[in-house]
Amino acid sequence: MVGFKATDVPPTATVKFLGAGTAACIADLITFPLDTAKVRLQIQGEKQGAVRAAASVQYRGVLGTILTMARTEGPRSLYNGLVAGLQRQMSFASVRIGLYDSVKQFYTKGSEHAGIGSRLLAGSTTGALAVAVAQPTDVVKVRFQAQARAGGGQRYQSTVDAYKTIAREEGFRGLWKGTSPNIARNAIVNCAELVTYDLIKDALLKANLMTDDLPCHFTSAFGAGFCTTIIASPVDVVKTRYMNSALGQYSSAGQCALTMLQKEGPRAFYKGFMPSFLRLGSWNVVMFVTYEQLKRALLFLFPSFPSLTPYPLLPFLPSPFPLPTFLPLLPTSSPHCLSVLVELTPIVTNQDPKPLRPLRSSAHLFILFPS
């Protein structure tokens, strides 16, 4: 067996929360060029009709896009928006992946046997909630990935400049542009990704085809990435186009989708499918394998890891429910600094069912990324 052994003690919500964010950042570092290539292919031909777009194609295929960008803009262009991408994953993946099991238990009222409905509800809940937390970082990431360095001026010079420029030119709402299609996209992605991973892994373990180890995690993650790409590609293309659009170009995400259909045809909704699959497939494999190992490593190193409970973020859940609480704040003066508010509460046991109020003490965790 490779890696850390599975333990009899289940990981706490805190372990899952920290492990998910860290694993997602590692996966982003490895697969970011594929994500950038996907964005470039998705926005290609955006301002032209189908005939004109076909005649003036700049990027062809995943490898062609990566090589063209490296040749015309330099290798660093493949990592445009990485800082915002890492900011996004630390706040985004921690919610949608790290809280999935806890929200699933909430919907099943603690039962170990979760049905497909409970899994889908948990996936869509954490997926939508993550967007509400991390949308500004996603907008900046997409803008950076979309801008070309060769032959013209850049829209933004740095991550900090991007936050400030968007807020100044488009208002506070500009940082939350595309929230609706992004919520739809991530609810779908989360359901397809986490639920598929969950189901494949459970099926492999129940059939005794594999043990709860790296091969099982790899197989489940690869299958989840393929299913997610097929289901989420149309929404993902619309989200990318709308978030990258200039002020007033589209009145809504629906109008963006309709314009794509009229000018470029139905195939436009699957632009960048191959890089999407390569990126999602590889990202899922790296993320889930790393995530599973990080959970075991954290439990091995810190057996008495503290539990966190939701306070401002999930007001619809009862206070003693053991979920993490955090509120990412993007300060206008320093948007490359992510402030995470954490409130600690006691754990309620079966012997002491009386609801406990959150502790007065709180802590701010600052996650810094170089701009």
Side-chain angles (χ1 to χ4, degrees):
M1 182 172 124
V2 183
F4 287 91
K5 296 181 180 180
T7 61
D8 295 330
V9 180
T12 64
T14 312
V15 168
K16 294 175 184 176
F17 168 71
L18 294 175
T22 305
C25 284
I26 293 171
D28 243 30
L29 284 169
I30 296 172
T31 64
F32 206 80
L34 292 171
D35 193 40
T36 302
K38 177 203 74 172
V39 170
R40 291 294 181 92
L41 286 168
Q42 286 178 339
I43 65 172
Q44 185 167 246
E46 182 178 9
K47 298 180 181 179
Q48 304 168 343
V51 176
R52 289 180 60 195
S56 59
V57 170
Q58 182 181 4
Y59 306 114
R60 295 182 183 275
V62 186
L63 183 60
T65 302
I66 292 174
L67 291 176
T68 300
M69 289 182 63
R71 185 177 64 253
T72 59
E73 303 172 44
R76 291 184 63 182
S77 65
L78 296 169
Y79 281 90
N80 274 350
L82 177 62
V83 174
L86 294 179
Q87 290 176 344
R88 174 180 178 266
Q89 292 300 350
M90 277 308 299
S91 53
F92 183 75
S94 299
V95 179
R96 76 177 188 91
I97 299 171
L99 300 188
Y100 170 74
D101 286 333
S102 298
V103 174
K104 182 175 68 175
Q105 289 174 8
F106 171 74
Y107 283 129
T108 58
K109 298 180 179 179
S111 173
E112 294 182 0
H113 304 287
I116 185 68
S118 300
R119 297 176 200 247
L120 290 173
L121 273 174
S124 57
T125 299
T126 57
L129 195 60
V131 174
V133 170
Q135 182 66 9
T137 61
D138 204 11
V139 171
V140 171
K141 179 185 80 78
V142 169
R143 297 281 182 95
F144 261 104
Q145 289 176 315
Q147 71 177 4
R149 295 186 177 183
Q154 292 179 254
R155 294 171 77 178
Y156 314 109
Q157 301 303 317
S158 67
T159 307
V160 178
D161 178 60
Y163 284 106
K164 289 181 177 179
T165 303
I166 294 171
R168 183 176 63 250
E169 295 181 355
E170 303 176 39
F172 180 75
R173 294 180 64 182
L175 289 169
W176 298 90
K177 191 172 188 178
T179 299
S180 296
N182 212 10
I183 285 177
R185 183 247 183 198
N186 281 291
I188 293 170
V189 165
N190 224 38
C191 286
E193 193 174 82
L194 295 180
V195 174
T196 305
Y197 178 83
D198 222 4
L199 291 172
I200 294 175
K201 182 181 173 183
D202 283 353
L204 291 173
L205 294 176
K206 287 179 179 177
N208 292 321
L209 296 174
M210 293 182 177
T211 58
D212 192 2
D213 202 359
L214 287 177
C216 177
H217 304 157
F218 180 94
T219 305
S220 304
F222 188 82
F226 182 72
C227 294
T228 303
T229 308
I230 293 176
I231 295 170
S233 274
V235 183
D236 190 37
V237 174
V238 174
K239 180 214 75 167
T240 300
R241 291 278 185 98
Y242 187 62
M243 286 169 58
N244 183 59
S245 64
L247 186 63
Q249 184 176 351
Y250 302 116
S251 60
S252 65
Q255 198 253 329
C256 176
L258 187 61
T259 302
M260 283 175 56
L261 183 63
Q262 291 173 340
K263 290 186 175 181
E264 303 170 61
R267 293 183 64 181
F269 292 97
Y270 279 91
K271 276 193 171 183
F273 178 83
M274 188 52 67
S276 289
F277 170 61
L278 290 176
R279 193 260 176 181
L280 268 177
S282 57
W283 191 93
N284 270 271
V285 168
V286 175
M287 195 284 300
F288 277 114
V289 169
T290 306
Y291 177 46
E292 297 280 6
Q293 291 301 305
L294 277 174
K295 286 191 295 184
R296 297 175 183 183
L298 287 171
L299 282 178
F300 177 78
L301 296 172
F302 309 101
S304 57
F305 221 87
S307 273
L308 304 177
T309 195
Y311 186 58
L313 185 61
L314 297 175
F316 58 90
L317 295 178
S319 179
F321 197 74
L323 288 178
T325 242
F326 59 101
L327 184 60
L329 307 171
L330 293 172
T332 54
S333 60
S334 182
H336 57 291
C337 169
L338 202 61
S339 172
V340 181
L341 174 64
V342 177
E343 294 221 12
L344 301 176
T345 64
I347 301 174
V348 177
T349 63
N350 292 331
Q351 289 75 27
D352 183 19
K354 184 179 179 181
L356 298 177
R357 297 177 62 186
L359 294 176
R360 292 292 180 182
S361 60
S362 63
H364 279 81
L365 170 64
F366 290 95
I367 304 167
L368 300 175
F369 298 97
S371 59

